[in-house]
Amino acid sequence: MKCCVCGIEIDEENRSEEHIIHNAIGGVLKSDSIYCKECNSKYGSDADKAFIEIFAPIIDGLYMNFDRKAGKTSYEGIMCDKEGNLYKTRFKNGKVISMFDKDGKYKKWEFEKYQKVSFNFNLDNELYKKGMAKIAFNFAVHSGVEVNKLNRVFDSENKELINKPIIIPFVPMTLFDSIIESQDTYELFHVLRLFNCGNFLYAYIELFSTFQVYVLLSDDYSGELYKEYCQVINKNDNEERKNEIMDSLKILDYKDADIITTQYQIDIKKVVSDLKEYHGYNGENINVVFEQIQKIAYEKIRKKSYERNYLEMLDEKYVKVNFINIFNQISDEEKLRFYSEFQYYTCYEEDTINIEKYKLLLYLDNQQYLYPDLLAGVMSVNPSVFKSYCHFKFYMLMGHLKKA
């Protein structure tokens, strides 16, 4: 495997692990076959940090999982007192670190005297778009797409992500979509979907069950491709049960080591090599190797516990909907349209959503379109549609955040 940026062969010496979705926003899917160490360092610095800072209020408000400890960053918002006066406020770790009134005068925060009104988000900026494009690029390369085919996100000549990727925000264009998207789930999700229609290759990205976009990856793709990945964000009990799980993985001898490495597909040669390179292992104490195998097995269990089937997540929304009740409340004209949409987007025998069509293809006025293509046209004509839907999704997200 070669580094997707510089083309150097990736080996044990220069291998570097990359989170497909940033670790600092709870991503657990990783690959060590995308970038070499040098390129990963170069492409994972300031731009990544700026992208992550966009989501700081959400990260601060959720009980989240992180593969490795991620430092919290401060962020801005608005506080309000009982008289309705607003204050520009900076938060960190759920706490107020500074607060100023409309005249710029410092105010001391007091418990129960003020309450949060809003956070500052800026999604219509280049950092947000480039961050989404990088996630899409990483997932495409991880899924086996050749870098030279990703011409709409990557400049092969200059070996870098392009400055102005095509990012199309999602908004439901059918009544069926609107109903499904209005349903909340118990947990929040990150979702990645990779799909093509003819020569056009897209990635659909959904972060925190809220930020939903399509990224155009290529207009020069050949073949048929569909890949998906879905994970929960909220920390689960495998974190709390770490000691218990580690005890169940305890290795006492070579037989135990063989069982664990086989069960969890662990390359023991790589384990030993990494220990020698990064921890100065001299080959004398075999228990050091056993302990490392145990840790790797636990990480695989922990990571797997966050992964979900995308269809199961959709079904959690689908089963909440009383379609008969909705059908009885809409107009006769809407009934006909909704019935045809329902047939198109569901699998009748399985009584579930058809993921081969949902959010990929758009069924409108008895015509079939590529969903992001039609959205791009809507965005250029009526961008206010996206703003109102974004506000609605934010409102749902706020219900998941910890109360301040």
Side-chain angles (χ1 to χ4, degrees), residues 136-150:
F137 174 77
N138 284 348
F139 189 53
V141 176
H142 175 68
S143 300
V145 181
E146 295 178 13
V147 176
N148 60 6
K149 291 294 183 182
L150 302 174

Side-chain angles (χ1 to χ4, degrees), residues 304-403:
K304 191 69 177 175
S305 69
Y306 286 97
E307 296 176 358
R308 294 291 186 274
N309 182 289
Y310 177 61
L311 183 57
E312 289 177 2
M313 185 273 288
L314 287 180
D315 280 345
E316 186 182 340
K317 297 182 177 185
Y318 180 75
V319 297
K320 291 181 179 180
V321 182
N322 187 331
F323 287 106
I324 295 176
N325 187 46
I326 291 170
F327 192 75
N328 290 332
Q329 292 181 15
I330 58 180
S331 68
D332 290 340
E333 183 180 346
E334 288 177 316
K335 279 184 171 72
L336 184 60
R337 194 182 98 197
F338 176 68
Y339 182 69
S340 61
E341 291 172 1
F342 184 85
Q343 284 191 312
Y344 184 81
Y345 285 115
T346 61
C347 300
Y348 179 77
E349 292 183 358
E350 291 82 10
D351 192 26
T352 188
I353 291 176
N354 186 338
I355 59 171
E356 294 180 1
K357 295 178 178 178
Y358 185 66
K359 288 189 178 178
L360 308 185
L361 300 174
L362 179 58
Y363 188 69
L364 199 61
D365 298 328
N366 295 319
Q367 297 289 323
Q368 180 175 281
Y369 304 91
L370 187 61
Y371 219 122
D373 282 358
L374 199 64
L375 281 173
V378 173
M379 183 170 61
S380 63
V381 174
N382 188 13
S384 63
V385 174
F386 296 90
K387 290 182 180 179
S388 59
Y389 177 66
C390 184
H391 290 158
F392 168 73
K393 294 300 285 187
F394 266 118
Y395 180 78
M396 290 180 66
L397 176 62
M398 291 303 107
H400 289 266
L401 302 188
K402 293 179 288 191
K403 304 300 181 184

